[in-house]
């Protein structure tokens, strides 16, 4: 074994041991810590892999591109994008409603009220009173403010 082969192996050994950097798949560490690393500290996840800023940013970019590709489509329907956005909002609202319903279970709240469980007729009366008040509040005519401007600040078309 000559000195040239020994030198080549010595130079290639660190490259063979190079650690693969973790991105968004880092476990046990917030990937934002690698992105906002002001002092250049060595950020590692629970598996001991280094979390690099470049890998996190490229993973974020890839996720954004994938999301845009999933949402992009061509349709002959008018306002198809608005319908898709509305359906996504409805889905998010349904998820939020399910989470709120699980957090505020009415069967658990009612026994804790003073005076025992409320009467159903009182609840229906409150509901019947809230509906017209909400409708009147939301559907009332709004006032329109007319702004008067001087002729100097408005654009005029001059014809010769």
């Amino acid at each position: 074994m000559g000195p040239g082969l020994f030198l080549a192996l010595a130079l290639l050994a660190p490259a063979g041991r190079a650690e693969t950097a973790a991105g968004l798949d880092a476990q046990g560490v917030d990937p934002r810590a690698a992105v906002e690393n002001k002092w250049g500290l060595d950020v590692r996840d629970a598996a001991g892999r280094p979390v690099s800023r470049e890998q996190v940013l490229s993973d974020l970019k890839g996720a954004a591109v994938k999301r845009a590709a999933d949402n992009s489509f061509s349709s002959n329907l008018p306002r198809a994008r608005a319908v898709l956005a509305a359906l996504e909002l409805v889905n998010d609202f349904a998820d939020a409603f399910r989470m709120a319903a699980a957090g505020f279970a009415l069967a658990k709240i009612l026994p804790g009220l003073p005076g025992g469980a409320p009467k159903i007729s009182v609840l229906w009366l409150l509901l019947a009173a809230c509906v017209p008040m909400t409708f009147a509040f939301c559907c009332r005519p709004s006032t329109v403010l007319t702004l008067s401007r001087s002729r100097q600040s408005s654009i005029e078309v001059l014809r010769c």
Side-chain angles (χ1 to χ4, degrees), residues 6-87:
F6 180 72
L7 183 61
L9 287 175
L11 290 175
L12 292 177
R17 289 184 293 155
E19 298 172 316
T20 58
L24 291 178
D25 59 337
Q27 299 172 355
V29 67
D30 189 7
R32 288 182 294 176
V35 174
E36 299 168 357
N37 191 1
K38 294 178 185 176
W39 296 292
L41 300 174
D42 186 23
V43 180
R44 294 190 175 263
D45 68 346
R49 299 178 299 170
V51 182
S52 71
R53 179 179 194 271
E54 293 78 21
Q55 184 68 29
V56 171
L57 292 178
S58 69
D59 286 353
L60 283 174
K61 185 177 179 182
V65 168
K66 184 181 179 301
R67 175 76 173 170
D70 290 344
N71 286 342
S72 68
F73 64 93
S74 60
S75 176
N76 294 334
L77 297 174
R79 302 192 190 268
R81 286 193 187 275
V83 170
L84 177 66
L87 289 175

